[in-house]
Amino acid sequence: MKNLIIANWKMNPSSQAEAKVIFDAIREGVKGINAAASARGFGEPTEVVVCPPAVYLYASVFGEGVVSMGAQNVYFEDKGAFTGEISAEMIKDLGAEYVIIGHSERRKYFGETDEVINKKIIRALEVGLKVIFCIGETQEEHDAGKKNEVLDRQIKLGLASVSDFGFSASNFAVAYEPVWAIGTGNNCGVGETKQTLSYIKSLLTLSGVEGQEVRILYGGSVKSENSGAYIKEAGANGLLVGGASLNAEEFIKILESAE
Ligand code: PEP
């Protein structure tokens, strides 16, 4: 199974020129890593996806290359009077391959419910986008011992009927992102992450969505000092990296740690 590492740039950087500088540095770094891996003659290269703000998604900024593109959000209707929204067709037409759905910042600041997230996943799959489905508990839920209950609900409602809409292990990944670990520097311990990832795997299997095959990623204050342990010790099939992915040098170190 190929590892999958996603860069979530959130609402950064402030200009196309800056976006291009970061992206070009990441792409060159990935080329170097892939060349070194093939010279060693073993191992599948990590799949790398950059998710910039949607306005930077068009091909002329980033071009074709060794890095795939993804959007950070999508709307579930195909077209019409939905001011400010962007459809799955539009994202796909720009050349993006992936879309992040259910990020905790969307749930918190934009009121996205499990039901809305489910509609978005279905629409993205129908159009042929690959989905990175984010789940995770808040600090309060964690402290109240409700983590498993929350993950249970997010998976059950978020993935309702996805099997009928082209779901497969190759077009879907789950990112476990404890909300309390996102952007706080307080990353989840490797032992707890390991347990949680295997719990998520069992939930996916129960929901009948090929749980053993779906890649499960960890996200939340990932940096190059902790990234390797999530893959090598906690058993994550990849990472979702926010803040650290805006620093190309640091992001490349994170990618190297997964090799
Ligand atoms: C994220 O945006 O999904 C994220 C995990 O952010 P950070 O790496 O900055 O915690």
Side-chain angles (χ1 to χ4, degrees):
M1 196 185 281
K2 241 189 205 183
N3 286 325
L4 174 63
I5 300 194
I6 315 281
N8 175 20
W9 286 1
K10 313 192 189 211
M11 200 170 73
N12 300 292
S14 300
S15 70
Q16 294 177 57
E18 289 171 88
K20 187 157 167 41
V21 168
I22 304 169
F23 185 81
D24 286 348
I26 290 176
R27 189 178 46 214
E28 290 316 301
V30 171
K31 280 186 191 165
I33 291 172
N34 290 353
S38 86
R40 283 199 311 273
F42 61 85
E44 275 199 280
T46 299
E47 189 177 354
V48 182
V49 182
V50 174
C51 301
V55 289
Y56 301 150
L57 266 179
Y58 53 94
S60 59
V61 174
F62 299 113
E64 295 292 312
V66 290
V67 175
S68 304
M69 303 304 294
Q72 300 172 12
N73 182 34
V74 65
Y75 194 53
F76 54 76
E77 295 289 353
D78 59 347
K79 61 181 170 187
F82 303 103
T83 303
E85 293 297 330
I86 299 176
S87 74
E89 286 85 347
M90 293 169 188
I91 291 169
K92 178 102 173 136
D93 186 54
L94 283 175
E97 202 178 327
Y98 281 86
V99 59
I100 297 173
I101 299 181
H103 193 282
S104 66
E105 288 153 15
R106 301 279 332 157
R107 294 179 191 256
K108 178 175 173 190
Y109 300 123
F110 303 97
E112 288 194 10
T113 62
D114 294 309
E115 289 75 12
V116 164
I117 289 163
N118 176 246
K119 286 190 194 179
K120 290 185 172 197
I121 292 175
I122 288 175
R123 187 68 201 136
L125 292 176
E126 279 181 328
V127 165
L129 286 170
K130 296 177 182 170
V131 171
I132 301 141
F133 172 44
C134 298
I135 56 173
E137 80 288 0
T138 62
Q139 181 80 65
E140 226 175 28
E141 291 161 340
H142 184 265
D143 295 349
K146 293 190 171 159
K147 174 173 66 183
N148 289 0
E149 195 184 307
V150 169
L151 297 177
D152 226 332
R153 189 204 70 229
Q154 290 176 335
I155 287 182
K156 188 160 169 251
L157 300 181
L159 299 191
S161 2
V162 295
S163 311
D164 302 336
F165 293 92
F167 170 90
S168 83
S170 60
N171 63 10
F172 198 86
V174 176
Y176 170 56
E177 297 209 299
V179 181
W180 47 272
I182 297 180
T184 59
N186 184 22
N187 57 303
C188 188
V190 169
E192 179 174 353
T193 304
K194 186 175 182 171
Q195 274 183 355
T196 310
L197 299 183
S198 76
Y199 182 66
I200 291 170
K201 228 171 235 279
S202 67
L203 289 178
L204 291 174
T205 307
L206 282 177
S207 344
V209 289
E210 302 174 68
Q212 296 311 313
E213 299 302 323
V214 173
R215 287 180 288 188
I216 307 182
L217 323 179
Y218 167 77
S221 295
V222 170
K223 295 187 178 54
S224 57
E225 304 98 74
N226 58 35
S227 50
Y230 287 110
I231 292 179
K232 290 169 186 157
E233 294 167 39
N237 308 118
L239 302 163
L240 178 40
V241 186
S245 70
L246 285 157
N247 176 337
E249 208 179 308
E250 172 67 1
F251 188 60
I252 296 299
K253 283 190 196 160
I254 290 172
L255 297 176
E256 283 167 344
S257 76
E259 289 296 305

